Amino acid sequence: MTTYTANPELDLVLERTVDVAPELVWRAWTTPELIKQWFAPKPWSTTACEIDLQPGGRFDTTMRSPEGEEYPSSGCILVAEEGRTLVFTSALGAGFRPQVSEDGFPFTAVVRIEPDGDGTKYTAIAIHADASAKKSHQEMGFHEGWGAALDQLVEVMKAH
Amino acid sequence: MTTYTANPELDLVLERTVDVAPELVWRAWTTPELIKQWFAPKPWSTTACEIDLQPGGRFDTTMRSPEGEEYPSSGCILVAEEGRTLVFTSALGAGFRPQVSEDGFPFTAVVRIEPDGDGTKYTAIAIHADASAKKSHQEMGFHEGWGAALDQLVEVMKAH
């Protein structure tokens, strides 16, 4: 899985090098108290997060809109290779239970963390069932949203 | 995951002790040439099988009806603990890609293999998104089908 190659027809990819060490990026992605500080692009916020860091464990977050409405979403961790690769999916919930996606299409996220000098080569891949789900996710602002969240992650972990 | 406890409202369970050693049950479940000999209850047959035995690897089978019609289905391996636990789901395909279930509801299967004397305590759990999927699977003949397949597995592996 660490060698996963994105399929350009079906996947969306955000790849950037950031000047935060790989272990801090890993910690930011796997610690609920940290997730709450960076996961939702402002002015949205993340009001709750539960992570059970093992295959089959939950990856649940609740985002709050600027208007104060809350959007819980739940997912399931598939791969947790410490410091390197986190994979989770919204197609399953805790205990690998299938679940219907609230936002209309399920996706699997691969977060790959590689050392790059003192920083990290960061690759986030969103894997979809078909080209129409990819297109919907792209139009919802995948690159802008995940990019802004990564900026927040960097800011939080530098202050950490 | 090895400690997964079935939820009676959402899961279906087949539990039996068979007089085949655990390593043979594991081999029967993870070897395509063996799967083809037992996986589909007769008079159905299994005409193709591809397994990539690692998390994210494919678990694909094709069943043929007595009338000669073929029904391919694909799934994704989530857990492969040698000789003990195999977990796969139809909610995902190879590489953890979400997929729409052809038969209307996705499910995750847990196959647990435990030593019991010279034989095996065999537990198969089908995990569903909701009670209606469980009911559909039950009405499709989950217990009869998985039970008959297990009888075939035992027969094949005893002759092996």
Side-chain angles (χ1 to χ4, degrees):
Chain A
M1 197 56 213
T2 47
T3 59
Y4 182 76
T5 305
N7 174 340
E9 316 256 307
L10 302 174
D11 301 340
L12 292 168
V13 181
L14 176 77
E15 187 181 301
R16 263 170 53 191
T17 296
V18 295
D19 59 346
V20 168
E23 54 270 30
L24 293 181
V25 177
W26 177 257
R27 208 187 301 164
W29 259 103
T30 56
T31 311
E33 285 312 309
L34 293 174
I35 288 261
K36 288 194 212 167
Q37 296 175 49
W38 69 265
F39 192 68
K42 285 173 192 162
W44 286 62
S45 61
T46 308
T47 53
C49 176
E50 274 190 77
I51 295 175
D52 175 14
L53 194 59
Q54 59 176 327
R58 70 180 68 249
F59 187 92
D60 295 353
T61 51
T62 300
M63 295 211 209
R64 181 186 284 163
S65 73
E67 295 74 31
E69 208 160 341
E70 300 216 322
Y71 297 85
S73 69
S74 58
C76 182
I77 289 174
L78 300 171
V79 175
E81 289 177 0
E82 187 166 356
R84 289 181 59 189
T85 308
L86 181 70
V87 183
F88 61 94
T89 187
S90 67
L92 303 172
F96 297 126
R97 183 176 303 286
Q99 64 179 6
V100 175
S101 286
E102 290 126 36
D103 59 3
F105 62 85
F107 72 99
T108 296
V110 174
V111 178
R112 194 187 296 146
I113 297 168
E114 295 164 284
D116 184 347
D118 294 336
T120 299
K121 183 180 164 196
Y122 177 94
T123 310
I125 309 174
I127 301 174
H128 307 91
D130 51 38
S132 100
K134 177 204 160 182
K135 185 161 176 277
S136 300
H137 205 174
Q138 193 163 22
E139 289 171 357
M140 279 170 62
F142 168 81
H143 287 100
E144 300 78 358
W146 284 60
L150 178 59
D151 289 337
Q152 295 175 178
L153 180 158
V154 168
E155 194 185 348
V156 166
M157 296 315 286
K158 279 188 166 179
H160 203 67
Chain B
M1 196 58 211
T2 46
T3 60
Y4 182 77
T5 306
N7 174 341
E9 316 255 308
L10 302 175
D11 300 342
L12 292 167
V13 181
L14 175 77
E15 188 182 302
R16 263 171 54 192
T17 295
V18 295
D19 59 346
V20 168
E23 53 272 28
L24 293 181
V25 177
W26 176 256
R27 209 187 301 165
W29 259 104
T30 57
T31 310
E33 284 312 309
L34 294 173
I35 288 261
K36 287 194 211 169
Q37 296 174 50
W38 69 266
F39 192 68
K42 287 173 191 160
W44 285 62
S45 60
T46 308
T47 53
C49 176
E50 274 189 78
I51 295 175
D52 175 15
L53 194 59
Q54 59 176 327
R58 69 179 67 248
F59 187 92
D60 295 353
T61 52
T62 300
M63 295 211 209
R64 180 186 285 163
S65 74
E67 294 75 30
E69 207 161 343
E70 301 217 319
Y71 296 85
S73 70
S74 58
C76 183
I77 290 175
L78 300 171
V79 175
E81 288 177 1
E82 186 164 359
R84 290 180 57 190
T85 309
L86 181 69
V87 184
F88 60 94
T89 188
S90 67
L92 303 172
F96 298 126
R97 184 176 302 287
Q99 65 178 6
V100 175
S101 285
E102 289 126 35
D103 59 2
F105 61 85
F107 72 99
T108 296
V110 175
V111 178
R112 195 188 296 146
I113 296 168
E114 294 163 285
D116 185 347
D118 295 335
T120 299
K121 183 180 164 198
Y122 177 93
T123 311
I125 309 173
I127 301 175
H128 307 91
D130 51 39
S132 100
K134 177 203 161 182
K135 187 161 176 276
S136 301
H137 205 174
Q138 194 163 21
E139 288 171 358
M140 278 169 62
F142 169 82
H143 287 100
E144 300 78 358
W146 285 59
L150 178 59
D151 289 338
Q152 295 175 178
L153 181 157
V154 169
E155 195 184 345
V156 167
M157 296 316 287
K158 279 188 166 180
H160 203 67

